[in-house]
Amino acid sequence: MRIALKVLCIACGLYLIYQGYSTYTFSARSPDGSMGVYKFGFFIPATDYSLHLYGGVFILMGVLLTITPLGKYVFRRNHSSR
């Protein structure tokens, strides 16, 4: 993977984490789900369940997208023979 693609992948992951956090902590609530927010083309009803579900999914996808380019360095084992 080229360095530019890694940086782009990390930047997109961090943006997803930010959007997930802003969805997860959205302060307005609607008991019947008639109000909501648009994130990435999806209408997310402003109910507790929907905001927490979509916010958590966006954060999880962002973390996975951020860790993917760094996985080779994070999960590398030392195979030295002693």
Side-chain angles (χ1 to χ4, degrees):
M1 208 187 287
R2 302 244 185 248
I3 191 75
L5 187 59
K6 288 181 182 181
V7 170
L8 181 65
C9 194
I10 291 171
C12 289
L14 291 175
Y15 181 72
L16 270 174
I17 291 171
Y18 169 73
Q19 289 297 325
Y21 179 76
S22 69
T23 302
Y24 192 81
T25 58
F26 190 68
S27 61
R29 297 288 188 261
S30 171
D32 60 352
S34 60
M35 292 178 18
V37 293
Y38 283 97
K39 297 283 181 172
F40 303 112
F42 295 110
F43 175 75
I44 302 171
T47 60
D48 284 334
Y49 176 75
S50 297
L51 291 174
H52 292 174
L53 176 71
Y54 281 98
V57 168
F58 288 154
I59 290 173
L60 180 65
M61 286 176 20
V63 167
L64 289 174
L65 196 59
T66 303
I67 289 177
T68 300
L70 304 175
K72 181 178 178 181
Y73 305 107
V74 173
F75 299 114
R76 181 174 45 179
R77 294 185 182 169
N78 189 3
H79 293 292
S80 63
S81 60
R82 286 189 175 199

